[in-house]
Amino acid sequence: MLIVGPAGSGKGTQSKRISEDLGIVAISTGDIFRVNIKEATELGREAQGYVDAGDLVPDSVTNRMVEDRLTWEDAKNGFLLDGYPRNRTQVAALDEMLSRLDVSLDVVLELTADREELIQRLKKRAEIEGREDDADEDAIRRRLEIFASETAPMIAEYDARGLVRRVDGLGAVDEVNARIMEALKP
């Protein structure tokens, strides 16, 4: 399963809940990066080189990290990917990975939310959690625009495959989780 949605839509919170509810591992690409860098794995050292240079870690490294993570024992009975894939190139790479691992993608859960509500949510998160990346409204708007332009083709591709289930990500955590669980029913 994949979970996608703009910043502030509740992906991280709901990923944890879905993982617990379904007994599958939630895999965040941010977590994969941090673990590999902290443990100084070969991939972690390669990624750290890009980070230290101020560059984005290329898809080739990200793809290898994700594929490695999907081979861990805890992913054998299912997984929820959060933060990957982000574009059509990564969709193709994920398709190849899953084919090699003899696994199929069952669902792409898209959390939707009103843009103005997201901006208010992120500004509040900045105040509560001290997250500087959420404090500037213009920066938030740019991030939301980039997300929309980069992920729209990816979501359209999964939609054409009949995999996308859209759920309103706004509301109390339990309410959103209930909508998700309902949307995931066969």
Side-chain angles (χ1 to χ4, degrees), residues 76-130:
K76 297 279 190 246
N77 292 323
F79 55 83
L80 170 62
L81 278 175
D82 173 5
Y84 182 92
R86 288 190 180 272
N87 56 50
R88 292 186 77 196
T89 302
Q90 289 181 349
V91 167
L94 180 61
D95 287 345
E96 291 174 16
M97 280 178 226
L98 295 178
S99 178
R100 280 192 296 275
L101 297 170
D102 196 27
V103 174
S104 62
L105 192 59
D106 297 320
V107 66
V108 175
L109 180 64
E110 180 184 11
L111 293 181
T112 62
D114 174 76
R115 181 179 297 254
E116 294 308 312
E117 180 68 30
L118 287 173
I119 291 167
Q120 295 312 310
R121 237 190 213 193
L122 292 169
K123 287 168 62 176
K124 187 173 184 173
R125 183 168 81 178
E127 292 172 20
I128 294 170
E129 298 178 17

Side-chain angles (χ1 to χ4, degrees), residues 3 31 55 57 89 107 110 125 132 144 148 155 160 163 165 171:
I3 188 169
D31 292 344
D55 296 326
V57 177
T89 302
V107 66
E110 180 184 11
R125 183 168 81 178
E132 292 181 26
L144 293 173
I155 293 169
L163 295 174
R165 311 243 178 106

Side-chain angles (χ1 to χ4, degrees), residues 4-6 8-11 14 109-115 117-118 121 165-181 183:
V4 296
S9 64
K11 287 186 313 296
Q14 292 301 331
L109 180 64
E110 180 184 11
L111 293 181
T112 62
D114 174 76
R115 181 179 297 254
E117 180 68 30
L118 287 173
R121 237 190 213 193
R165 311 243 178 106
R166 289 178 178 84
V167 174
D168 182 357
L170 296 179
V173 171
D174 289 340
E175 292 172 11
V176 174
N177 185 258
R179 287 195 293 265
I180 289 170
M181 290 299 116

Side-chain angles (χ1 to χ4, degrees), residues 12-142:
T13 300
Q14 292 301 331
S15 290
K16 290 177 186 130
R17 293 284 301 268
I18 295 165
S19 170
E20 292 167 6
D21 291 346
L22 300 180
I24 60 175
V25 64
I27 301 172
S28 156
T29 48
D31 292 344
I32 296 172
F33 275 88
R34 284 185 285 279
V35 167
N36 276 276
I37 289 171
K38 181 181 177 194
E39 294 182 2
T41 66
E42 180 182 333
L43 287 170
R45 289 189 304 273
E46 189 174 345
Q48 187 69 57
Y50 290 103
V51 172
D52 289 347
D55 296 326
L56 291 174
V57 177
D59 281 351
S60 60
V61 176
T62 303
N63 295 341
R64 291 189 342 253
M65 282 189 186
V66 170
E67 184 163 12
D68 174 70
R69 181 62 183 89
L70 292 177
T71 65
W72 292 16
E73 190 62 34
D74 66 351
K76 297 279 190 246
N77 292 323
F79 55 83
L80 170 62
L81 278 175
D82 173 5
Y84 182 92
R86 288 190 180 272
N87 56 50
R88 292 186 77 196
T89 302
Q90 289 181 349
V91 167
L94 180 61
D95 287 345
E96 291 174 16
M97 280 178 226
L98 295 178
S99 178
R100 280 192 296 275
L101 297 170
D102 196 27
V103 174
S104 62
L105 192 59
D106 297 320
V107 66
V108 175
L109 180 64
E110 180 184 11
L111 293 181
T112 62
D114 174 76
R115 181 179 297 254
E116 294 308 312
E117 180 68 30
L118 287 173
I119 291 167
Q120 295 312 310
R121 237 190 213 193
L122 292 169
K123 287 168 62 176
K124 187 173 184 173
R125 183 168 81 178
E127 292 172 20
I128 294 170
E129 298 178 17
R131 289 182 55 162
E132 292 181 26
D133 59 328
D134 292 336
D136 181 278
E137 187 169 326
D138 289 335
I140 292 170
R141 288 185 185 281
R142 275 192 306 279

